[in-house]
């Protein structure tokens, strides 16, 4: 099996609060894994473990191991800056920089040390085309990103993420604030992106998980109850808790 992410016995604590308990799972390369479960069950905390964003919260502790390819990302000599290049993140609320559409995407390239104007311009165009945004914004690249609609802003944030060519993209409810048409565009985009990236998405929307993911992991009270191919989780899950959740008996 061609695993991109391998999670072994991961527990996570906010102070004394044990919020993730012995999580073990794998995510295949070029697949979409959806994390589902009720609010407060640890999905977003787990997602942020994969790019070490929880490191910046005081009083937190993680035990266990997370491997991306063969690299143990919590080992003492693993460079967090390298990790953030390899693992991009798209948040629930779109967060474009208060700059032009062009500069939003060029920013990460410049940080990476790319100076060649042609390289930057071609990457900006390619990233916007990848997110089906190019035709909508090509005549106003110098306008503020804040002038875009909510759905366009979220696609711009995805374009900004892929411009620096990560290997993994984490998405924390990327469509929860969007209207149905924008949501559909994001879902279509996820299907396109998995050709080149491995994607882990947190979603509260059961139908969305069923539509976009290859694998679904059900979290409950900090535990991973079950993970399997998405069609199995939604048609014949192995655990009664999973069945009750996906059929709407609780949530």
């Amino acid at each position: 099996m061609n695993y991109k992410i391998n999670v072994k016995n991961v527990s996570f604590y906010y102070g004394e609060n044990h919020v993730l308990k012995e999580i073990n799972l794998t995510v295949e390369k070029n697949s979409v894994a959806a994390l589902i479960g009720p609010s407060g069950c640890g999905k977003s905390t787990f997602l942020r473990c994969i790019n070490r964003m929880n490191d910046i919260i005081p009083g937190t502790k993680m035990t266990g191991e997370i491997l991306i390819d063969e690299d143990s990302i919590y080992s003492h000599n693993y460079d967090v800056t390298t990790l953030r290049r390899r693992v991009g993140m798209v948040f629930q609320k779109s967060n474009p920089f208060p700059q032009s559409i062009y500069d939003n995407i060029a920013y990460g390239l410049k940080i990476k040390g790319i100076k060649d104007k042609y390289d930057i311009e071609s990457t900006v165009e390619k990233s916007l085309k990848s997110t089906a945004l190019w035709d909508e914004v090509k005549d106003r690249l110098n306008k503020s990103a804040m002038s875009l609609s909510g759905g366009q802003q979220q696609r711009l944030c995805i374009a900004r993420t892929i411009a620096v060519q990560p290997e993994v993209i984490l998405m924390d409810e990327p469509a929860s604030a969007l209207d149905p048409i924008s949501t559909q565009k994001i879902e279509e985009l996820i299907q396109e992106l998995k050709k080149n990236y491995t994607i882990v998405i947190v979603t509260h929307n059961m139908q969305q998980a069923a539509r976009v993911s290859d694998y679904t992991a059900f979290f409950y009270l900090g535990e991973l109850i079950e993970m399997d191919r998405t069609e199995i989780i939604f048609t014949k899950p192995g655990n009664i808790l999973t069945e009750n959740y996906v059929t709407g008996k609780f949530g």
Side-chain angles (χ1 to χ4, degrees):
M1 201 66 85
N2 196 0
Y3 296 133
K4 186 68 184 174
I5 303 168
N6 194 350
V7 176
K8 300 178 179 179
N9 300 321
V10 163
S11 287
F12 188 82
Y13 303 81
Y14 288 113
E16 299 296 305
N17 191 9
H18 192 179
V19 291
L20 291 174
K21 299 161 189 170
E22 297 290 312
I23 307 296
N24 288 279
L25 62 81
T26 52
V27 181
E28 269 184 52
K29 194 174 183 182
N30 299 110
S31 72
V32 180
L35 313 181
I36 63 169
S39 294
C41 67
K43 306 181 297 290
S44 292
T45 297
F46 175 70
L47 194 73
R48 291 195 300 268
C49 286
I50 302 172
N51 70 347
R52 293 186 52 175
M53 273 192 72
N54 293 320
D55 288 15
I56 57 178
I57 305 168
T60 58
K61 183 178 87 169
M62 195 207 90
T63 59
E65 187 176 29
I66 298 177
L67 300 168
I68 293 180
D69 295 330
E70 299 302 313
D71 299 320
S72 179
I73 65 170
Y74 279 84
S75 66
H76 293 304
N77 56 358
Y78 193 78
D79 179 44
V80 179
T81 310
T82 303
L83 176 66
R84 303 267 162 80
R85 285 203 188 113
R86 294 180 71 188
V87 182
M89 180 107 180
V90 177
F91 296 91
Q92 181 173 0
K93 188 174 183 317
S94 58
N95 58 342
F97 304 138
Q99 297 170 319
S100 71
I101 294 165
Y102 179 92
D103 286 338
N104 261 269
I105 296 175
Y107 176 81
L109 302 170
K110 289 171 182 171
I111 294 284
K112 242 180 123 173
I114 296 168
K115 295 187 174 71
D116 185 287
K117 192 167 183 283
Y118 174 77
D119 277 357
I120 293 173
E121 283 178 359
S122 61
T123 303
V124 167
E125 181 175 339
K126 191 173 155 205
S127 304
L128 289 168
K129 280 181 172 167
S130 303
T131 52
L133 203 50
W134 175 251
D135 288 339
E136 296 168 36
V137 304
K138 64 184 178 193
D139 299 324
R140 48 181 177 141
L141 292 176
N142 293 320
K143 292 270 192 309
S144 168
M146 306 322 240
S147 66
L148 298 174
S149 71
Q152 287 174 323
Q153 286 188 16
Q154 191 63 301
R155 281 186 286 146
L156 178 67
C157 291
I158 296 171
R160 185 177 70 195
T161 299
I162 63 178
V164 294
Q165 296 182 304
E167 300 160 37
V168 175
I169 301 175
L170 309 177
M171 296 184 166
D172 196 353
E173 297 195 64
S176 67
L178 304 179
D179 61 81
I181 290 169
S182 297
T183 297
Q184 186 184 347
K185 285 184 175 172
I186 296 285
E187 290 181 3
E188 287 166 359
L189 177 54
I190 289 168
Q191 291 304 303
E192 267 309 296
L193 290 174
K194 79 171 183 182
K195 293 172 186 169
N196 298 307
Y197 306 96
T198 302
I199 298 170
V200 185
I201 176 171
V202 167
T203 178
H204 270 110
N205 183 325
M206 241 26 87
Q207 290 80 15
Q208 184 171 77
R211 284 191 299 262
V212 305
S213 68
D214 303 294
Y215 297 90
T216 297
F218 171 55
F219 281 72
Y220 184 64
L221 299 178
E223 294 183 30
L224 173 61
I225 304 299
E226 186 173 0
M227 182 174 186
D228 211 324
R229 292 202 69 84
T230 294
E231 63 269 23
I232 290 173
I233 291 291
F234 283 99
T235 56
K236 42 178 193 290
N239 190 293
I240 188 70
L241 265 177
T242 314
E243 186 177 324
N244 287 343
Y245 185 73
V246 300
T247 54
K249 295 200 172 117
F250 77 97

